[in-house]
Amino acid sequence: MIVRTPLPKKRRPEATGNSDSPNSDGRFVIFEDLPEPEPSHQHSDQMLCTYQCRQLVKADFLDALSSAEKKSQDYQSKVEAMDSDLRKSEAERVKFRDQLLYAEQEVAAAKGREQALQDQLLKEVSESQERLRKQIHIHSELEVKFRKEMELRKNAESLLSSAEEKASLLEGKLSHVSESIEREKVRLQKELTQLKQESKLSMERISADLQRMECKASNSEKEAALLKDQLENLQTKLNECLHEKNEVEKKLSTLTHQEFPSDDNILVKHLREELRNYESEVREARKWKASHEDIELLREKLLEEKGRRERAESEVLKLSEVQINGKKLEDELSSWKSIIKEIPGVTSAADIPLKFEALQKEVLEGMMKMGEVTARLKQVEVALDVAENTRQNVETEFALTNERMELLKLELKRTELLLSSTTEERDRLKIVVDQLKQQKTVEAGGAMTDGTVKELEASLAMKEDLIKQLESSIQEQKDVNTRQHNEIKLLNERLSNESRRIKSLEREDDRLRSEIAILESKLGHGDFSSASTKVLRMVNSLAVDSEAKQTIEALQNELQKTKDKLQAIEELKKQSGDAGTLVDSYISGKVVQLKEQIATLEKREERYKAVFADRISVFRRACCELFGYKIVMDDHQRSDGIPVTRFTLQSIYAQSDDEKLQFEYESGNTKILGNTYTQQPDISHQVEIFIRKLNSIPAFTANLTVESFNKRTLS
Amino acid sequence: MAGSWEVTKNSSCDYEQGPTNEVLERWNFSIETDKELDKKVSRENSDNEIMREIQAVMRQIASSITYLPCLDEPCIFDVLAYTDMDVAIPFTWTESDPKLIANPQMVKLHSFDTKIGKVDTLVSYKNDEWDEQ
C-alpha cells in the first residue's frame, strides 16, 4: 500500500548484502504510519514533497516494479530452470525408476536365479544325500554281504580245516594201510624171494640129483661095462674051465675005462679041487660084487636120506618162520581189516584206492570252492573298496557342495543386503522425488535439487557398481558351477572306467591263478586225472615168476625123465644080474657097430688127408715151377679178432732167404705187407708202381721174377 | 605198444625203493604227438637240430646227478604209461596207480622237437631229509 505521506526516502543500499534494510531482500514492507511530521512550514514543503515524494515513490515504485519484474523474470527463469530441472529430475526419476525397476527386475531375476541355484543346489544336495544314502545303504549291504561272506569263508575254512583234518586222518590211515600193504608186499616179496631161493635150492638139488643120477647112470654104465667085461672074462674062464672040466672028465672017463694009475686020480682030484676053488672064488666074487652093489646102493640111499633130512630140517625151520610170518600177516590183516572197518564207505581193499580217489576229488573240489570263495571275497573286497572310495568321493563332493551352499548363502545374504540397500536407495529416491514435487509446487528455491541430484547420481553409480558386481559374481558362479559339473562328470566317468578295468583285471588274475594251479598240479602229476587217464605198468622184468616156474617145470620134467631112465637102468641091472646076455649082446653089438663106423670114418679121413696132401704138394710144386714162387699159407688172427690168411712168397731166383714177399688175404681182398725186403728202394718203387698205382699184384710178382732171373743169370 | 602209441599222452618211469616200495624219483617224459600238433604251426627242424636237442637233454639228465638225492639202497625201475581209458592192456603190462611223490621237488629239463612230435622232460624227486633240515 502506498503510503500517503511517504517517509523520507532512504538510500537504496548499494550492496546487496546490506541485510539490515528491509528491502534488501526484495520483500515489500508494509510501512506503518509513521509519527506525524511537524506542522510548521510543512505545508509547502509538503506539497512539494508530495510531488517529489510521489515522483520518488513513483520512481521507487517503478524501480521496485522493475526490480520486481526483474525479480519475477528471474524467478520465472528460475522457475523455468527449476521446471526444466524438475523435468530433468522427473526424467531422471523416471529413468532411475526404470533403472530401479530394472534393478528390481534384475534383483528379482537374480533372486530367481539364486532361488533356482538354491533349488538346484538343494536338488544336488538332496541327490548327493540320496546318493550318499544309497552308498551308505550299498555299503551297509556290502558290509552285510562281507560279513556273510566272511562267515561263509569262516565256515568254509572250518569245513576245509575239518576236511583237511579228515583228509589228514584218512591220509594217516591210508598211509598206515599203505604201510601195512607195503609191509605185506615186503613180506610177500620176502616170501617170494624165499620161494625163489627154495626153488633155486630145489633146482640146485634137482640139478645135483640130476648130476648124481647122471653120475650114477655113468657109474652104473661103467659098472655095467666093467661087469660085462668081468662077466665076459668069467664066462671065458667058465668056458675054459668047463672045457677043461669036460676034457678032464673025458680024460677021467677014458681013464676010468682004462683004469688009470693013482696019480691021475690025484690029478683029477686036484683038478676037481681047483674047479671047486674056482667055483667058490666065482661065487665069492659074485657075492663081493653083490655086496659092493648093495653097499653102493646103501650109500646112495644114505645120501638121499641125508639130503631128505637136511631138506626136512630146513623145511621145519622154514615152517616155523612161515608160521611166525603167518601170525604176523594174520595180525596185520586183522589190523588192516579193523582199519578198513573204521574207514567209512570201505568194505574191502579194492575200495581203498577208490575211497582215496574220492577223497582227493573232495579235497580238490574243496580247494576249488575255496578258490572260488576267495575270488568272490576278493571281488567283494574290491567292490567294498570301490564303494568306500565312492563314499569318500561323495563325502568330499558333499562337503564341496556344502561349502558351495554356504558360499551361495553368503552371496545370497550379500545380494539381500544389496537388495535392501537398493530398496533403501529407492525409498530415498522416492522421498527425494516427493520432495522435488513439493518443491516444484512451492517454487521456493531450486538450490536443494542440486544436492539431491548429486545424491541420486552417487546412489545410481553405487547401484550400477553393485549391479555390475552382482552380475560379474553371478557369471563367475555360473562358470564355476559349469566347470565343477564338467569336472564331476569327467571324474565319474573315469571312476566307472577304472572300476570296470579293476574288476576285469581281478577276474583275469583269478583265472590266471586257477590256471597256474591247474598247470602246476598237472606238471607234478604228469597230466594225470583218474577220470580220463589210465596208468599202465610194465610187469617187472626182474621178478620173472613165470619164467622161473617154466624153468622149474622143465627141470622137473627132466628130473622125471632121468628118474625113469634110472629106474629103467636099475631094472635092466636087476635083469642083467640074472640073465645079462641079451643086454650085453645088444650093447656089445651096438658098440661094435659104432666102433666099426668110427674106424671106417677114420680110415676115410686119413685117406682123404693123404690124397689131399699129395694133391696139394703136387699143386704147390706146379705153382712154384710155373710162377716161380714158393707159396706158404698160414692162418692168423688180427688184434681185432678177425681171422686172416697170410701168404709168404719166395722167388726161386731169390739170392737169400730174406727175399720174401708177404700178402694178407681177407674176404677176397689181397694186400701186401711191408717187411725189410719190400722196403728196399727198388722193390718199394715197384710196389708203388704196380700195386699202389696200377693195382696189379701179378704184374708186380712177374716183374720181380724177371728182375731176379736177370740178376741171377747175370751174376 | 605200437598200436597205442597214438593215444599215449605221456610216459614216465620212476625208481622205487626195494624194501618199502617208496617212490624216490620220477622221470616224466611228456610226448605231444602229431595229432595234437595239427592245429598249431607245423614245426620243421633239421636232423642236426634234433640231434643237438637230444644231446642237450641227455647232458642234462647226466648232470642231474648233482642235485638228485643219493640212492643208498637197492632200487628197481618201474615203467608207467598214461593212456586213455579205452585202451586195451597188453600182455606184459598191468594197471597201476600213478606212483606220485608227496611234496616233490620238480626240475624241468630241456625239451626236444622232432618232425613228428615234441617231448618234454621233467624229473621230480622226494625231498632229502638233509635238504628239509
Side-chain angles (χ1 to χ4, degrees):
Chain A
M1 201 162 145
I2 299 167
V3 179
R4 216 181 318 167
T5 55
L7 290 168
K9 187 179 176 184
K10 289 181 185 176
R11 285 200 183 157
R12 207 179 284 163
E14 290 177 358
T16 58
N18 193 3
S19 60
D20 291 334
S21 65
N23 291 331
S24 64
D25 53 355
R27 284 184 293 158
F28 289 105
V29 175
I30 299 167
F31 289 92
E32 288 179 356
D33 291 308
L34 292 169
E36 293 177 337
E38 296 171 354
S40 64
H41 31 146
Q42 280 179 2
H43 285 294
S44 62
D45 286 329
Q46 275 181 2
M47 290 300 285
L48 249 164
C49 188
T50 53
Y51 182 76
Q52 282 181 351
C53 288
R54 277 187 195 156
Q55 290 291 328
L56 281 167
V57 165
K58 200 179 179 178
D60 289 333
F61 184 72
L62 285 168
D63 288 335
L65 193 82
S66 63
S67 64
E69 281 179 1
K70 280 179 188 174
K71 277 182 186 175
S72 69
Q73 281 176 359
D74 289 333
Y75 282 136
Q76 269 183 357
S77 65
K78 277 184 186 176
V79 163
E80 283 171 3
M82 289 284 282
D83 280 334
S84 66
D85 287 339
L86 200 112
R87 278 180 214 134
K88 279 181 190 176
S89 66
E90 276 185 3
E92 281 176 3
R93 189 177 65 84
V94 165
K95 219 194 286 181
F96 284 136
R97 201 175 63 185
D98 292 335
Q99 281 180 357
L100 212 143
L101 288 167
Y102 185 71
E104 281 177 357
Q105 283 175 4
E106 287 285 321
V107 164
K111 273 190 182 177
R113 276 179 231 146
E114 280 172 15
Q115 194 67 36
L117 277 169
Q118 274 184 356
D119 295 336
Q120 203 176 0
L121 278 166
L122 284 166
K123 277 182 191 174
E124 283 177 3
V125 164
S126 63
E127 281 174 7
S128 61
Q129 280 177 353
E130 282 175 9
R131 263 187 255 160
L132 201 104
R133 275 175 219 150
K134 281 180 188 174
Q135 289 292 327
I136 290 162
H137 184 65
I138 291 164
H139 183 71
S140 61
E141 284 176 1
L142 284 168
E143 278 182 358
V144 165
K145 279 185 189 175
F146 184 67
R147 277 173 212 155
K148 283 180 187 173
E149 289 292 328
M150 288 297 285
E151 284 169 10
L152 282 169
R153 187 182 177 181
K154 281 175 189 171
N155 291 334
E157 280 176 357
S158 62
L159 283 167
L160 206 141
S161 61
S162 63
E164 282 178 356
E165 285 172 5
K166 282 182 190 173
S168 62
L169 284 166
L170 286 166
E171 279 179 4
K173 285 177 185 173
L174 275 162
S175 62
H176 283 300
V177 167
S178 61
E179 281 172 9
S180 63
I181 289 164
E182 285 173 359
R183 273 180 238 154
E184 282 180 20
K185 278 185 187 174
V186 164
R187 276 184 203 119
L188 287 166
Q189 279 188 352
K190 279 182 184 173
E191 284 177 11
L192 242 174
T193 52
Q194 284 172 359
L195 284 165
K196 282 177 197 172
Q197 287 171 2
E198 281 174 11
S199 66
K200 282 179 187 173
L201 285 167
S202 63
M203 275 160 60
E204 284 170 4
R205 272 174 223 150
I206 289 157
S207 60
D209 290 335
L210 258 170
Q211 285 175 1
R212 264 182 239 152
M213 293 299 174
E214 285 174 0
C215 293
K216 277 182 198 174
S218 62
N219 289 332
S220 62
E221 284 178 2
K222 286 176 189 172
E223 283 174 9
L226 282 167
L227 285 166
K228 279 176 203 169
D229 296 331
Q230 282 178 8
L231 251 168
E232 284 173 358
N233 292 329
L234 284 167
Q235 276 180 357
T236 51
K237 280 183 185 175
L238 240 170
N239 292 329
E240 286 174 7
C241 291
L242 283 167
H243 188 68
E244 281 178 5
K245 186 183 168 185
N246 291 329
E247 282 177 359
V248 164
E249 280 178 354
K250 277 177 187 175
K251 280 180 185 176
L252 268 167
S253 62
T254 53
L255 278 168
T256 52
H257 283 298
Q258 291 172 7
E259 293 178 356
F260 282 125
S262 60
D263 291 336
D264 295 327
N265 288 329
I266 294 162
L267 265 169
V268 164
K269 280 181 188 174
H270 281 300
L271 284 166
R272 280 182 184 165
E273 283 176 5
E274 283 179 9
L275 259 170
R276 280 178 211 148
N277 288 331
Y278 282 137
E279 283 176 3
S280 65
E281 281 177 6
V282 164
R283 275 184 222 135
E284 280 179 10
R286 283 183 183 166
K287 279 179 190 174
W288 278 112
K289 186 184 166 188
S291 64
H292 186 69
E293 286 175 2
D294 293 333
I295 287 160
E296 285 183 356
L297 280 167
L298 283 168
R299 274 183 196 164
E300 286 172 7
K301 281 180 184 173
L302 229 175
L303 288 168
E304 282 179 9
E305 289 300 320
K306 279 182 185 174
R308 278 181 201 165
R309 194 189 68 182
E310 285 171 6
R311 266 181 261 158
E313 284 173 1
S314 63
E315 279 172 6
V316 161
L317 289 168
K318 282 173 195 170
L319 227 178
S320 61
E321 287 177 1
V322 165
Q323 280 176 353
I324 292 161
N325 291 332
K327 280 177 189 173
K328 285 180 187 173
L329 279 168
E330 283 175 2
D331 295 332
E332 282 184 8
L333 264 168
S334 61
S335 65
W336 180 68
K337 279 177 185 173
S338 63
I339 288 163
I340 285 168
K341 280 175 190 172
E342 283 173 16
I343 296 167
V346 172
T347 54
S348 65
D351 297 334
I352 289 167
L354 295 168
K355 184 75 181 175
F356 193 59
E357 284 175 10
L359 283 166
Q360 276 181 342
K361 281 178 192 171
E362 283 176 12
V363 166
L364 282 168
E365 283 170 8
M367 294 290 282
M368 293 279 282
K369 282 180 186 173
M370 265 293 292
E372 287 174 4
V373 165
T374 50
R376 265 187 235 161
L377 262 169
K378 278 176 190 169
Q379 284 177 1
V380 166
E381 283 174 2
V382 163
L384 258 172
D385 293 332
V386 166
E388 279 182 11
N389 290 330
T390 51
R391 188 174 64 84
Q392 285 171 3
N393 293 331
V394 164
E395 280 177 0
T396 52
E397 283 179 12
F398 187 66
L400 285 168
T401 50
N402 285 331
E403 287 174 4
R404 270 183 239 155
M405 276 284 290
E406 285 171 6
L407 284 169
L408 284 167
K409 280 179 184 173
L410 288 169
E411 283 179 8
L412 249 173
K413 282 178 186 174
R414 207 174 58 179
T415 49
E416 280 174 1
L417 287 168
L418 281 169
L419 248 174
S420 62
S421 64
T422 49
T423 49
E424 285 173 6
E425 287 290 328
R426 190 189 63 187
D427 294 333
R428 245 194 302 164
L429 281 168
K430 277 184 182 176
I431 292 160
V432 164
V433 162
D434 292 331
Q435 282 177 359
L436 277 170
K437 279 183 182 174
Q438 282 173 7
Q439 279 175 8
K440 189 184 174 183
T441 52
V442 170
E443 292 184 357
M448 286 163 47
T449 57
D450 293 332
T452 55
V453 166
K454 281 180 187 175
E455 284 176 7
L456 280 167
E457 284 175 357
S459 66
L460 268 167
M462 270 176 60
K463 274 197 180 176
E464 282 178 2
D465 292 335
L466 280 167
I467 286 159
K468 281 177 186 173
Q469 281 176 9
L470 272 171
E471 284 177 356
S472 64
S473 65
I474 286 161
Q475 193 64 36
E476 281 173 9
Q477 275 185 10
K478 276 184 188 175
D479 295 335
V480 165
N481 280 335
T482 51
R483 248 183 282 149
Q484 282 176 354
H485 275 297
N486 293 331
E487 282 177 8
I488 286 161
K489 280 178 188 173
L490 283 166
L491 285 168
N492 284 330
E493 285 174 4
R494 275 187 209 169
L495 253 171
S496 62
N497 291 333
E498 289 298 318
S499 63
R500 273 179 230 152
R501 255 188 242 166
I502 286 162
K503 280 178 188 172
S504 65
L505 283 167
E506 281 171 356
R507 272 181 237 144
E508 277 184 26
D509 184 24
D510 294 327
R511 189 173 56 80
L512 286 166
R513 277 186 194 173
S514 63
E515 281 182 12
I516 285 162
I518 288 162
L519 285 167
E520 278 179 356
S521 65
K522 276 187 183 177
L523 204 78
H525 298 159
D527 203 11
F528 167 71
S529 63
S530 59
S532 63
T533 311
K534 190 159 59 174
V535 182
L536 301 178
R537 186 173 67 88
M538 190 185 279
V539 172
N540 197 351
S541 59
L542 296 173
V544 190
D545 295 329
S546 60
E547 288 179 7
K549 282 178 186 174
Q550 285 174 5
T551 53
I552 287 163
E553 285 175 5
L555 285 166
Q556 281 176 350
N557 291 332
E558 283 182 20
L559 184 71
Q560 194 63 36
K561 283 176 189 173
T562 49
K563 278 184 180 174
D564 294 334
K565 280 184 188 174
L566 198 69
Q567 278 177 0
I569 289 163
E570 282 177 358
E571 283 170 6
L572 281 168
K573 266 192 190 174
K574 281 176 189 173
Q575 286 173 8
S576 66
D578 299 328
T581 53
L582 290 167
V583 175
D584 292 336
S585 64
Y586 176 70
I587 291 164
S588 62
K590 274 228 164 175
V591 166
V592 165
Q593 278 178 11
L594 287 166
K595 280 182 182 175
E596 283 171 4
Q597 280 180 6
I598 288 162
T600 51
L601 284 168
E602 280 176 355
K603 281 175 190 172
R604 213 182 281 175
E605 191 184 342
E606 283 173 8
R607 253 184 277 151
Y608 286 147
K609 277 183 184 176
V611 167
F612 181 74
D614 291 332
R615 303 300 293 172
I616 201 72
S617 66
V618 166
F619 182 74
R620 282 177 66 194
R621 265 183 252 131
C623 283
C624 182
E625 286 185 11
L626 286 168
F627 297 110
Y629 283 99
K630 287 178 195 172
I631 301 169
V632 175
M633 190 172 86
D634 292 320
D635 285 323
H636 286 273
Q637 211 173 32
R638 266 197 225 147
S639 57
D640 51 4
I642 298 168
V644 146
T645 310
R646 199 172 280 183
F647 293 93
T648 307
L649 275 69
Q650 192 178 18
S651 176
I652 54 175
Y653 302 114
Q655 290 173 352
S656 65
D657 288 331
D658 296 333
E659 292 178 10
K660 286 179 185 176
L661 298 169
Q662 285 178 332
F663 293 91
E664 206 171 73
Y665 178 83
E666 184 199 349
S667 61
N669 295 323
T670 310
K671 65 176 183 180
I672 187 165
L673 299 173
N675 57 11
T676 53
Y677 180 58
T678 55
Q679 281 170 5
Q680 288 174 12
D682 51 349
I683 307 295
S684 63
H685 183 65
Q686 288 180 39
V687 165
E688 191 66 37
I689 291 166
F690 289 106
I691 294 174
R692 305 269 189 257
K693 284 185 184 173
L694 299 173
N695 196 22
S696 172
I697 291 170
F700 167 68
T701 53
N703 191 40
L704 198 64
T705 307
V706 167
E707 281 188 6
S708 52
F709 172 74
N710 290 330
K711 279 182 195 172
R712 200 72 181 275
T713 51
L714 284 169
S715 63
Chain B
M1 292 297 282
S4 63
W5 180 251
E6 292 172 12
V7 299
T8 303
K9 288 182 185 175
N10 60 30
S11 63
S12 63
C13 58
D14 54 10
Y15 284 95
E16 282 189 359
Q17 199 171 12
T20 59
N21 275 344
E22 190 185 6
V23 180
L24 297 175
E25 274 180 25
R26 201 166 186 280
W27 292 83
N28 204 337
F29 300 97
S30 178
I31 301 161
E32 286 181 22
T33 55
D34 217 4
K35 271 188 182 176
E36 294 170 8
L37 293 170
D38 262 344
K39 294 175 185 174
K40 298 178 187 175
V41 178
S42 65
R43 302 174 198 177
E44 291 184 352
N45 290 337
S46 65
D47 290 341
N48 283 334
E49 284 180 22
I50 294 165
M51 286 295 292
R52 241 182 280 139
E53 286 173 352
I54 292 169
Q55 281 167 11
V57 172
M58 298 293 283
R59 259 184 250 120
Q60 268 199 313
I61 291 168
S63 66
S64 64
I65 195 169
T66 54
Y67 54 84
L68 289 174
C70 297
L71 303 172
D72 298 322
E73 296 176 347
C75 302
I76 55 172
F77 258 106
D78 264 333
V79 180
L80 303 176
Y82 285 6
T83 64
D84 288 333
M85 297 297 281
D86 56 350
V87 167
I89 301 170
F91 179 67
T92 53
W93 292 73
T94 180
E95 272 199 70
S96 164
D97 62 310
K99 308 276 186 194
L100 300 172
I101 300 171
N103 296 322
Q105 285 285 329
M106 288 185 274
V107 177
K108 195 171 184 318
L109 306 179
H110 285 310
S111 62
F112 66 91
D113 192 1
T114 66
K115 291 174 187 177
I116 297 167
K118 186 184 171 189
V119 179
D120 290 319
T121 314
L122 177 126
V123 59
S124 53
Y125 56 93
K126 189 186 161 191
N127 271 324
D128 201 358
E129 290 174 359
W130 294 103
D131 292 329
E132 284 176 358
Q133 285 168 7

